[in-house]
Amino acid sequence: NYEANITCLNSKYNIKGFNPEDFPQLPEVNIPQQFNISIKKLKTMIEETKFSISSDQTQPALTGCLMIINSNKIKMVSTLRSF
C-alpha cells in the first residue's frame, strides 16, 4: 500500500502512489543548492497554476507542474489542454 496521508488543521489529503520497484532507478543527483520561499508566495504559485493541471491519468504529461529553480528565481509552469 503506497499512500501518503497528510492532515493539516481541517484539511485531509490522501495521495496514492505506486511501487517504486515498478520504475527504473533514477540517477544520483547532487545539487548543493538550497532555497527559502515564503508559504504565501508558494501558495500563490500553486493557486496560479493549479487550474491547468489535469486529473486525467490517461494523459500524464498534463497532470503536474514543473518547478524551475535558478539562482534568484523560482518559476512554476503547467500545460493547459485545449478542447
Side-chain angles (χ1 to χ4, degrees), residues 13-69:
Y13 302 93
N14 297 316
I15 302 172
K16 304 282 186 203
F18 297 99
N19 184 343
E21 299 297 324
D22 294 342
F23 299 90
Q25 185 70 26
L26 294 174
E28 186 74 26
V29 178
N30 184 11
I31 302 173
Q33 181 180 0
Q34 294 182 351
F35 67 94
N36 293 316
I37 185 171
S38 72
I39 192 69
K40 182 178 179 182
K41 182 66 176 173
L42 180 60
K43 183 178 177 182
T44 299
M45 292 173 72
I46 293 170
E47 291 291 329
E48 290 179 358
T49 55
K50 73 178 185 179
F51 73 94
S52 64
I53 299 171
S54 174
S55 59
D56 182 357
Q57 295 299 313
T58 62
Q59 296 184 320
L62 304 176
T63 60
C65 273
L66 171 65
M67 182 180 275
I68 303 166
I69 303 167

